[in-house]
Each structure stands twice: as C-alpha cells, then as structure tokens.
Amino acid sequence: MNASAVVTVEGFVAESLATHGRDPRHLLQHLIRVQQRFSYVPDAAVEALSAALDVTRTQVRAAVAFYAFLHERPRGAFEIRFSDNITDRMLGSRRLIRLLIERLGLSGLPAWGRDLIRDDGRVSVGLASCTGMCDQGPALLVNGQAVTNLDAQRVDRIADLVQEGIPLERWPGEFFRVENNIRRRGLLLGNPATDGAALRRLVDEGADAALAEVERSGLRGRGGAGFTTALKWRFCREAPGTDRYVVCNADEGEPGTFKDRVLLTDYADLVIEGMTVCAGVIGARRGFLYLRGEYRYLLPHLESVLQRRRAEGLLGTRILGRDGFDFDIEIHLGAGAYICGEESALIESLEGKRGVTRKRPPFPVTSGFDDQPTVVNNVETFLASARVVQWGGYWLRGEGTDQSAGSKILSVSGDCARPGIYEYPFGTPVHRVLSDCGAENTQAVQISGAAGATLSPAEFDRIIAFEDLPTAGSFMIFDDSRDLLDMVRNFAAFFAHESCGFCTPCRVGGALLRNLVEKVAAGQGSEYDLSEMRHIGAVMREASYCGLGHTAPNHVLNTLDKFPSIYRRRLAREAHTPSFDLDAALSEARGIAGRDDPGTHIHKLSGETA
Amino acid sequence: MSKTFKLDGREIPFETGQTIMDAALAAGVYIPHLCHNPEFAPHGSCRVCVVDVGGRQVSACTAAASEGMEVDSSSEAIQATRRAILQMLFVEGNHVCPACEKSGACQLQAVAYYTGMLAPHFTHFFPRRPVDASHPDVVIDFNRCILCELCVRASRDHDGKRVFAISGRGLESHLVIDSASGLLGDSSFAASDKAAHVCPTGAILPKGRGYETPIGERLYDREPISIVGDVRAHEEEVL
Amino acid sequence: MAEKPRVATASLCGCFGCHMSLLDIDERILQLVDLVTFDCTPLTDIKILGDCDLGLIEGGVANAENVEVLREFRRRCKTLVAVGACAVNGGIPAMRNQFSLAECLRESYCYGIGVHNPGIPNDPEIPLLLNQVHPIHEVVAIDYFLPGCPPSADAIWTFLTAFLEGRPIAFPYTQIHFD
C-alpha cells in the first residue's frame, strides 16, 4: 500500500503537470490525482501547484477545503466513505457502519466533515452524500471505487481485507459490480445502438436542419429545470464569442438519482453523439464531460468510448471526413460537491475553482466556460437530442404531453420490490410507477431528490411532467413503516453540508434549519420551533442566491404541511423550549466541580432548578 | 428619452445595462446593501438588497433594470426578509457591538437599524474564531467577518495582490489569508491597500486608534444610512 | 380604580448598567411610580416575585441561577422584555464563549495576573456556570427586545410609556443602538 514513500510529492506533481499540462483550470484535476495518490493534499503539493499554475496557495487550499473528497490531512490508506442517503439508511447502512467501525477497532461514528481515522493510518471511515447506488445499496466508496449491495457479510470481509492490507485490485470483483437494473424501456432506452446516424444526418443536412429537428421535438432539459434545448443551443450559437463549448453535466448529485450512471454505462455512445451533434450545431470545438467523483469507476470505460469514436471518425478532427468539423471531449472529475450540478457552479469547477454559483445573467449560453458561450445539458438531454436528430422531432413528440414531449427516465429506489431504472412517457401518474415497481403501503414519494417535492398518497394521481411534477428523475419511496422525520433529518443535514456558503440565507438558514430539525427529533422542540422552521424555510426559498438554497427547505415545508404528525408527536408540551439542552450545558461545570448531585442539574419541565 | 422603472411608486430613470441598485443609487434612492460597493462588480451574496419584482424576489445589486418594471423595496414583507437575513449574519458570527471599535460607523449595524432589527432573533452559533493582530498596521477580527468578499475583491481587482480568499463551504466558509503562515503580517498586505478600506464591518481595522469619535457623533448616530450613505463614502471621517 | 400594572426587573449576567439607565430617566421616575407598582426588583429590594404585567430582564444567561430566575420571571410576567445587549445577544459576557469553561476559570482563578491563593471556587452555594453564555430568548420566549449597552433612559422611557398606554412601540432613530 504505502507506495507514497517511493514517489515524492514534488515528483508526483511534476509528473501530473507534465502529463496534464499547466492550465490553471486543471487545478482541481491535479488535486484529485494528488489526493488519490497520497490520501491527502500535502503542503508540498499546494506549494508546487501554486507555483506551477500561477494561482495563490490560498486558492489551492480553498479548493481543497471546498471539495468533500479532498483533504488537508491524511485519510487512511483505505479511505472508506459510506453513502449516506436516506435510501442507504433504510437499507441498514447505519448498522453496517457501526459493524465496520467495531471490526476496525475505531470508536465513535463518522459525521459530515468528521472522518474516523485509525492511528496507524491504515484506514479511515467517513460519509459521502448519495453515491448514486440507491437501487443496490447500501453502498460505499473505497478509495473512490464504488462497492454495492453491502450486508454484514460483505462488511466483515472488507474489514478483513483492510486488516490484511490487500490492495483493491485483489478485492473480490463482485464487490465492485454495479448493476444497471433497467426495468422499463421506452423511447430512449429501447435501443442503445448507434452507428453515428445522428452525426451523419447533421453532416448531410446541415446544422440548421439538425437544430430545426431539436426545435420541432420540443425537447426540454432533463436535469429538472426543463429549459427548451433548442432555444439553449440557438442562444449559444448566436451569442458573440471566440470559442464555444459543450458541457455534459454528469454530476448526478441529486440524492436518489442514478439514471445518468446507467446511461453513461450502456448508452455512452449516444450521449457523446448528442454532445457532438450539439457541437456541430453551435460550432464548438471543445467539450467537457463533468463526471461526478463518485462515478470515477466509469472513467476507463468512458475514455475507451471516446477513443473508439475518435478512431471511427466520430470525434476529433474532421469528423465524418468533414473539413472544419473538429470537436473533442475531455472528461473532468468532480470531487464531492452537490452544488456542482448547478450549471454555473459546474463551470467554475471545470475551471478548477471552488464550485460557487455564478451571478446570472449572464447565463452560460452567452458567458460560460472561459467566459465563452457554452451549452450545459444533462446526460439524458444529450442522449435524447442524438435520437431527435437521427429520427426527427416528431419521433419525440409521439409520446408525452403537449408541454412535455417524449419520455422521462426515473431512478426508482426505496420501499419497493423492484428498484431500478424506469422510462415512462411524460404524463404518467405516480401511482403507475408505484404499481410497476412493486411498492406497497406507500406513505410518501420524494420526487426529484432531496430538493424536490414530498408527495402524500392524495397526490399519487399527479403526473410526471414539467407542468405538474418536474423531476430530474429521482423517485424515492417510503412505505408506512418509515418515520419520515428520518428522511427530513437526512436531507436537512445534506443541505447544510452541501451549501456552498456563498449567500447568507442558504449558508446560515440551512444550518439553522438542520439544528431545529435535530432539536425536534430529540423531543426538545416546541410549536414555536415549527413556526421558526417555516420562517427560515420561507426566507431561504425567497432570498437565496441559487436553486440550491431555493429548494433546500422544500422537504421541511412539504412535510410540515402534509405530514405534520411526524413533528407534532415529538413536541414538548411547552409552547417554547430552550434552544439548547440546559442540563447538558452544566456538564463542564459539573466536571470541574467534581459534583453530580441533584443540585447540579437543571430539570427540563416547568423550570425549577433543584 | 431615458427609460424608467418604478421603485416604490417613484419613477427611476436608468440606462440599459444598469442594475436596479445602480439606478436607484444614482437617483438618490437608498436600497440597503452590504456586499455591494459600486467600485466593484456586483456580487449578490449577502442578499440584503433583496427587492420584489412582480412577486419574485431578486437582489437589486445583480438584477438588471428594465423598462416599466415595478420594484418594491419598502414593504413590510421585504423589510422582514432583510431583517431575517441580517439576523442570520448576526448569529453566524460574534458581533459584540459594545466591544467593537467600528460600532456607530458600521454598515452591518446601520443596515440593521434601517430595517428595524432590534435583536438577532435566531439561535447563536457562537463560533470560535481567531483575531489576527500579526500585521503592524491592521488587525483582522474574524468574529466580525460576514463573507461579503469585498476585501477579496479589492485585493484582487484593485490592489493586484490576491491577499484574501474564501475557503471551506457552507457554515464552515471563512476568510483566509495568502501567506505561508496564514497570518496577515506575513502577507503582502499593506495598510494603504484598497482592501484595508472596504470592510463594511469591524473585521478589518487600522491599529493604533479606536473609539476616536464620541458616542453621539459617530457616522450613523444621528441619521440613518439611507441618508448618510455607505461607510466608504465617509472614509476620511471614519478612519 | 383599577390596580396599577405591576413591574418586576432582574439582572442576570449583566453589569447593572441597564438598571442604572432605567434610573437615568431622572424625575420621570415620579411619573413611573404613579403609573406602575414595582414588584420584585433590585430597586425595591422585594425578594419574592409575584404575578406581574411586565418583566424587564437585564443580562444574559450564564449560570444555573440565571436559568431559574429567568424561568420564574417568564412564569410570573405576562410580558417579558430583554433589556440591553447582554439579554439580547449575550453581550460582553458571551465573549467567554470563545473559550472552554475550564480555560476561563483557570485563567481567572489560577493563572491570571495577580491571583493569590489560586484555586477554582467550589462552594455548593455558588451556582454552576453554563458551558456558554446565552441571550435570554434562547431559554424562554421573549416579547420585546430593547437593545443597547445600555439602552438609553429615553429609549427605556419610550418603551415604558408606549407599553403602558397600549400604543404600538416605535422608537425615534437615535434611540436604537446596539452599543
């Protein structure tokens, strides 16, 4: 394991710089490699990168502190991160974390931003936001590689492998097996095959014709916001600029979403074809695929697809032999930041910086990567646009509703017999999805991830469509055995952890909200606290800088309205309760005084100090 | 003919490309703000300048003015949102006004007065933050930093030094200093830097003086910030 | 004639400056005693709190006794007011929240300059300190906040007269300050 002794930090950085260049925008990519190699980013790497890339050491350190997968201090040689989405928890992840910790001789429990690191440096255990394996969880990442279908036996074996210091290459292959679990195929999933037909049509009939097909299809962005794709492409095409860029947003970070993982696994050709078509339409020569760090295991596969397409003349210079049609794609990795799914934060991250949302306008279509016109689309959108150009706009319009043409690919997880990928025409009601996946006694559906809407059974007739339930694809099911407050706690902690910290309402409001949720969960909350949660949620929703803050309180506000009992049954009798545990607040003083008699305690109810 | 929009019922002229904030300030109408400083590009992070445009809340410092738009900047709903944002800033840091040399000439405080904030309302975080007194001429008290990034921007865009940056994320976000030790005294920072003179709170203060102006005569003691204007406009008096 | 409103005051972890400021209303105090009856307050030396219409609290919550007194005031007073910076946000005493309690006590009673006979006091009569100093709204519900270190006599007067006359409470600009 301890190969870091062989290569010096400076040597490694020099090699990384030699191989991948000295563009300051590659800072994050260099940092990810350093982290991967040394299990942290040593000061020497900060200094070397700062000098070589002409960024301040402070900017380097700021990036390290921003991304959850980069660290200022060493993690274990085996760095283990349990996926901590609510679906992982529902599948028993908490018990498995405790089991592993016990087996490894660690104590305590990991929390957001607090990893347990064994003294010998062999192993560390921490948490990760949803790793996108909800249909085959509980899951974890070990040195960035996804391990799925955890159970006590598998965790036990992992503990042995760590103890024996067996390198990952020699771990059982089935640990790393990721299933596609495609349960229902529709327009897009029907057939993964492509022979470059969309590109050929683009080359034969021209960019205007291709754009006209996208326009005709009514295709809207599949990332959730639903902006009309053709309009985005047209804006970008017509915006003044010296270069144009195509960016595929594969930072599938919304908890409960994993369809892009499947698309990148089995449909990568089509996704890349969609990007290439877009490049042809807007006149871009460079593109990026921003792949979330959790999916790093897909990197070799994606690189090989890119390589093959270059060899086939479908990518690179003179695509399909056409002079001037040059376009190539670089894959950039993310490093554990949900905010980077927001397109302008993603561009900041592509440029090697902290993933902080940009001021908009200008929008990326006029000023994106390198301040040049840039199209950022979701994986599924590129896939759909390849087919639209190949088969025509009417093909997509054949399904769906007036305002939502085509189909939507859902990631179904939680309490159902058959979690996995389901593709439906837009307009499909929620209850149809529930019956197809074998969900019973469903109490609630969380649609479109932690930022989405919490649906009660009264709403299961609502339809998946931009005009009713827009969704990036996450569909998490909770049956009536679940306590929905567990979901709320999980999401509140998630948003507090994932806020980029730029604007006040999201940065502070998110932390206040999490603390109030925890207070209520601990049975110490009051009616007043519920009204405070509404108040803070409203300010976040109205006044935050970007979509993360606008949507972060949704789960609290939705459940307060639709599932009030999950809060009410835990409230204290008083109309107002202290914001902190009074008796616990005397703990230090008791320790110093060496006393623990009744006179040193404060009682909770009705206030007399004994 | 110049275009106009309505701000609380009043016609405000504007040029294409101007923000609501630019146009309002040019017309002599105050919209409260902290991270905004006309000498630097709009930032939009503090959210204190939130206004209502057709039922949507936007930050006046980043939203472009447009012909005929109706902007509400003074309703109780808007003031209440601003108050809540300010209260969040107050509980996030450690703002002990009675022990701060900037008190009375502090923009955070003055904007709080303007919105009618009487108390921080929320639960305090009481973070433990350092004070950096390593520089001979300037002291940084991180307890008072509200992450407006004005010093970051001034150092980068005006001084050409990049002395400051924001590190971490979420509630862990914090101002950092570019020197090997992380201390201001070891950085290239100078008291004559623009960055030394843009802090809207008492986070960055000159050494060797304090409490020079008697209470009652300080910048915001007698008249509100909507009349007096930003601290920056009174640099000479204040510093 | 209806009974006059009863007013109680207390100083928790503060410096009594807010009470001094109350006394700074000078001759208006004669009007005040016509308007109200003082219950438990350091000004009257009445030790037992009765049912009151108005409670004025100076100081933050720093120890177990503060908690007890504050809760008793909340129970007895129809309206409770946080008076002054310490009650409103913890004020100067809350600056100790930068340190652990042990650090504070050791500095004060063991290693501080000029300490004789070092040792942390540990008499059972001394109320135990909380880990941190808190503003009072973090312990009980508060109806009004009157900031200032201290709030000026005029601000206190504005509040009292408006409150007692049942008018909406509004302060002239110069009466509100956080210091």
Side-chain angles (χ1 to χ4, degrees):
Chain A
M1 286 304 297
N2 198 12
S4 54
V6 183
V7 182
T8 64
V9 173
E10 290 84 352
F12 185 84
V13 170
E15 196 190 306
S16 184
L17 287 164
T19 317
H20 301 279
R22 290 168 176 257
D23 185 339
R25 291 174 298 201
H26 279 111
L27 171 62
L28 177 60
Q29 304 307 307
H30 289 297
L31 289 172
I32 291 170
R33 283 188 285 271
V34 170
Q35 168 69 40
Q36 181 75 354
R37 183 66 180 76
F38 298 99
S39 87
Y40 76 120
V41 180
D43 280 346
V46 173
E47 296 295 333
L49 285 169
S50 159
L53 304 179
D54 188 33
V55 292
T56 64
R57 63 167 80 72
T58 306
Q59 283 170 284
V60 182
R61 288 206 180 112
V64 173
F66 184 85
Y67 292 98
F69 293 167
L70 302 179
H71 306 291
E72 285 163 351
R73 273 176 278 286
R75 294 306 189 262
F78 291 98
E79 184 189 351
I80 293 173
R81 299 198 168 274
F82 279 86
S83 177
D84 195 37
N85 189 27
I86 183 63
T87 53
D88 294 288
R89 289 182 173 219
M90 285 156 66
L91 291 164
S93 64
R94 303 301 286 177
R95 187 173 46 82
L96 298 175
I97 294 172
R98 276 191 288 271
L99 175 65
L100 183 67
I101 281 165
E102 191 184 313
R103 282 288 326 273
L104 295 174
L106 290 160
S107 59
L109 271 177
W112 292 118
R114 200 186 69 227
D115 299 345
L116 306 179
I117 305 167
R118 208 163 78 177
D119 290 342
D120 64 357
R122 168 67 64 82
V123 61
S124 61
V125 179
L127 300 179
S129 298
C130 179
T131 60
M133 301 290 167
C134 320
D135 57 336
Q136 46 207 301
L140 60 73
L141 298 169
V142 53
N143 294 351
Q145 299 295 313
V147 178
T148 58
N149 289 309
L150 294 173
D151 55 18
Q153 204 183 352
R154 191 162 279 194
V155 165
D156 229 30
R157 187 74 192 106
I158 288 172
D160 291 340
L161 291 163
V162 168
Q163 299 289 36
E164 293 160 24
I166 309 287
L168 286 192
E169 307 82 72
R170 284 168 45 208
W171 286 27
E174 75 258 25
F175 283 20
F176 303 102
R177 187 178 303 144
V178 178
E179 300 293 344
N180 281 343
N181 291 331
I182 299 176
R183 313 283 187 186
R184 191 176 194 282
R185 293 174 194 268
L187 281 181
L188 298 178
L189 297 178
N191 179 9
T194 173
D195 54 1
L199 272 178
R200 245 179 291 282
R201 185 151 181 220
L202 169 79
V203 167
D204 291 347
E205 299 181 22
D208 291 337
L211 183 56
E213 289 298 352
V214 180
E215 225 149 40
R216 196 166 294 131
S217 73
L219 177 64
R220 297 170 67 175
R222 279 2 186 192
F227 194 81
T228 305
T229 304
L231 211 51
K232 189 181 268 191
W233 291 16
R234 182 177 294 285
F235 284 155
C236 183
R237 185 187 200 202
E238 291 169 0
T242 51
D243 292 299
R244 267 156 243 284
Y245 296 93
V246 177
V247 176
C248 177
N249 182 348
D251 190 55
E252 185 173 45
E254 193 60 59
T257 320
F258 45 86
K259 48 103 187 163
D260 291 345
R261 157 173 60 77
V262 173
L263 298 182
L264 293 171
T265 306
D266 271 12
Y267 298 78
D269 261 290
L270 272 169
V271 174
I272 289 161
E273 183 141 329
M275 290 177 71
T276 315
V277 166
C278 175
V281 168
I282 66 169
R285 296 166 56 86
R286 272 179 85 189
F288 299 95
L289 192 149
Y290 186 90
L291 182 68
R292 70 185 307 223
E294 292 83 345
Y295 294 168
R296 189 169 57 204
Y297 75 96
L298 286 171
L299 197 53
H301 160 65
L302 291 171
E303 291 286 10
S304 76
V305 172
L306 292 178
Q307 199 48 47
R308 179 171 42 72
R309 288 183 70 88
R310 285 182 197 113
E312 290 169 354
L314 300 172
L315 194 67
T317 45
R318 296 191 73 247
I319 291 171
L320 290 174
R322 176 63 57 104
D323 279 336
F325 189 7
D326 304 335
F327 177 69
D328 213 331
I329 295 172
E330 260 177 71
I331 301 174
H332 272 228
L333 280 170
Y338 167 73
I339 182 66
C340 291
E342 194 282 332
E343 60 178 6
S344 69
L346 185 152
I347 290 169
E348 286 286 291
S349 185
L350 272 182
E351 294 182 357
K353 298 179 235 167
R354 299 162 79 240
V356 171
T357 320
R358 286 182 179 178
K359 181 169 65 72
R360 298 183 308 170
F363 291 91
V365 282
T366 56
S367 180
F369 182 78
D370 203 21
D371 296 330
Q372 298 299 314
T374 303
V375 162
V376 184
N377 275 140
N378 179 262
V379 173
E380 188 180 341
T381 313
F382 280 123
L383 166 57
S385 44
R387 286 303 195 208
V388 162
V389 171
Q390 180 181 356
W391 288 331
Y394 291 120
W395 165 79
L396 192 76
R397 281 226 176 265
E399 276 191 6
T401 69
D402 282 353
Q403 292 167 62
S404 310
S407 66
K408 185 74 196 89
I409 302 173
L410 300 179
S411 313
V412 176
S413 65
D415 294 315
C416 63
R418 293 174 296 280
I421 299 295
Y422 292 74
E423 183 180 9
Y424 287 99
F426 274 117
T428 300
V430 169
H431 65 71
R432 169 73 201 275
V433 182
L434 289 172
S435 72
D436 285 357
C437 70
E440 286 173 5
N441 304 319
T442 303
Q443 174 187 194
V445 171
Q446 180 72 19
I447 195 148
S448 205
T454 313
L455 305 180
S456 69
E459 300 170 279
F460 291 171
D461 283 339
R462 295 179 63 183
I463 57 167
I464 311 287
F466 291 109
E467 61 271 29
D468 188 7
L469 292 172
T471 173
S474 170
F475 192 103
M476 291 183 276
I477 303 166
F478 299 83
D479 72 20
D480 58 12
S481 73
R482 303 294 178 182
D483 183 346
L484 281 184
L485 195 67
D486 289 339
M487 176 195 83
V488 174
R489 292 175 70 186
N490 183 249
F491 291 171
F494 169 78
F495 283 115
H497 176 66
E498 295 292 352
S499 166
C500 81
F502 179 76
C503 79
T504 314
C506 176
R507 179 181 75 240
V508 187
L512 288 168
L513 204 53
R514 175 204 55 203
N515 292 352
L516 284 173
V517 166
E518 283 305 311
K519 181 184 175 187
V520 171
Q524 297 181 348
S526 65
E527 197 67 45
Y528 174 77
D529 294 316
L530 300 190
S531 70
E532 280 295 281
M533 285 159 66
R534 285 186 189 278
H535 171 49
I536 293 162
V539 172
M540 292 173 72
R541 197 178 250 186
E542 288 162 9
S544 291
Y545 181 78
C546 81
L548 194 162
H550 294 150
T551 55
N554 283 352
H555 63 102
V556 169
L557 297 171
N558 280 183
T559 49
L560 278 168
D561 285 339
K562 300 176 192 174
F563 301 92
S565 69
I566 65 170
Y567 300 98
R568 290 253 140 72
R569 65 168 176 261
R570 288 180 168 84
L571 293 188
R573 275 173 302 165
E574 296 89 338
H576 180 282
T577 49
S579 66
F580 59 102
D581 184 327
L582 292 171
D583 190 53
L586 289 179
S587 57
E588 273 191 65
R590 279 192 291 266
I592 293 164
R595 292 169 57 195
D596 197 22
D597 53 278
T600 63
H601 287 273
I602 299 177
H603 300 294
K604 262 202 191 78
L605 291 173
S606 60
E608 67 274 22
T609 313
Chain B
M1 206 188 110
S2 96
K3 294 176 282 186
T4 63
F5 67 92
K6 268 198 174 141
L7 179 59
D8 297 327
R10 182 175 157 182
E11 294 286 341
I12 306 285
F14 73 96
E15 306 290 329
T16 304
Q18 265 191 318
T19 60
I20 296 171
M21 178 73 78
D22 292 338
L25 292 180
V29 179
Y30 179 73
I31 297 175
H33 52 272
L34 289 170
C35 72
H36 182 67
N37 177 327
E39 292 176 67
F40 300 95
H43 198 54
S45 69
C46 76
R47 314 309 289 169
V48 164
C49 70
V50 64
V51 292
D52 185 299
V53 179
R56 253 188 80 231
Q57 307 211 346
V58 299
S59 51
C61 73
T62 58
S66 68
E67 178 71 48
M69 77 196 310
E70 301 211 357
V71 180
D72 163 23
S73 174
S74 61
S75 66
E76 174 49 27
I78 282 291
Q79 288 288 64
T81 302
R82 290 176 183 154
R83 249 189 330 266
I85 293 167
L86 287 159
Q87 287 164 330
M88 288 178 182
L89 287 173
F90 271 88
V91 299
E92 181 189 23
N94 297 302
H95 297 280
V96 191
C97 298
C100 178
E101 303 91 311
K102 192 71 170 275
S103 193
C106 166
Q107 212 166 308
L108 175 65
Q109 211 180 43
V111 172
Y113 298 163
Y114 174 82
T115 62
M117 176 190 139
L118 295 177
H121 180 86
F122 299 116
T123 299
H124 288 68
F125 289 92
F126 292 125
R128 289 187 183 175
R129 295 188 188 168
V131 175
D132 179 347
S134 60
H135 195 278
D137 306 316
V138 174
V139 62
I140 295 199
D141 187 338
F142 293 98
N143 291 289
R144 302 166 184 166
C145 176
I146 56 168
L147 301 169
C148 70
E149 296 189 45
L150 272 169
C151 58
V152 177
R153 290 179 275 161
S155 183
R156 183 191 60 212
D157 303 340
H158 186 279
D159 304 327
K161 287 189 179 179
R162 298 185 295 184
V163 169
F164 301 101
I166 302 294
S167 185
R169 77 182 192 199
L171 205 63
E172 308 288 316
S173 301
H174 59 285
L175 185 66
V176 288
I177 292 158
D178 190 49
S179 67
S181 63
L183 294 173
L184 192 64
D186 295 332
S187 76
S188 59
F189 185 78
S192 54
D193 286 358
K194 183 83 181 170
H197 304 276
V198 290
C199 182
T201 76
I204 301 181
L205 285 176
K207 281 184 171 178
R209 50 167 97 171
Y211 306 107
E212 286 185 321
T213 314
I215 290 175
E217 293 172 23
R218 299 169 307 181
L219 190 58
Y220 300 118
D221 277 346
R222 282 177 292 208
E223 287 184 316
I225 190 168
S226 53
I227 294 171
V228 176
D230 293 352
V231 177
R232 122 199 121 71
H234 300 266
E235 266 263 298
E236 297 313 307
E237 302 160 42
V238 177
L239 289 178
Chain C
M1 188 184 132
E3 211 177 315
K4 291 193 285 187
R6 295 184 74 82
V7 177
T9 76
S11 181
L12 307 179
C13 185
C15 69
F16 264 95
C18 298
H19 276 81
M20 294 301 114
S21 201
L22 171 60
L23 294 179
D24 271 347
I25 61 176
D26 297 333
E27 72 281 2
R28 287 172 290 189
I29 200 147
L30 299 173
Q31 288 179 54
L32 188 59
V33 288
D34 280 344
L35 289 170
V36 305
T37 303
F38 275 103
D39 194 88
C40 168
T41 154
L43 307 175
T44 60
D45 218 24
I46 296 171
K47 302 280 197 239
I48 307 294
L49 179 64
D51 289 334
C52 288
D53 298 284
L54 180 63
L56 305 176
I57 303 287
E58 169 188 348
V61 183
N63 63 34
E65 190 208 13
N66 295 157
V67 173
E68 182 186 354
V69 171
L70 180 58
R71 285 178 149 184
E72 186 65 9
F73 263 72
R74 179 67 278 181
R75 198 163 35 228
R76 294 286 187 179
C77 301
K78 282 188 199 138
T79 299
L80 201 58
V81 186
V83 181
C86 302
V88 166
N89 76 352
I92 303 285
M95 291 176 85
R96 83 152 153 97
N97 297 351
Q98 292 290 307
F99 307 93
S100 74
L101 186 56
E103 285 172 309
C104 293
L105 291 172
R106 269 190 240 117
E107 180 68 18
S108 304
Y109 295 107
C110 302
Y111 311 124
I113 296 164
V115 170
H116 291 278
N117 201 7
I120 295 170
N122 194 16
D123 191 296
E125 288 293 304
I126 301 172
L128 291 186
L129 291 165
L130 298 175
N131 297 352
Q132 293 195 314
V133 177
H134 294 266
I136 64 175
H137 74 268
E138 295 184 7
V139 178
V140 299
I142 297 300
D143 302 298
Y144 294 100
F145 295 88
L146 193 44
C149 185
S152 67
D154 289 343
I156 295 173
W157 186 248
T158 301
F159 173 80
L160 287 174
T161 48
F163 176 80
L164 293 169
E165 291 166 21
R167 284 188 282 118
I169 293 156
F171 300 92
Y173 176 77
T174 50
Q175 287 185 5
I176 292 301
H177 48 82
F178 296 164
D179 58 358

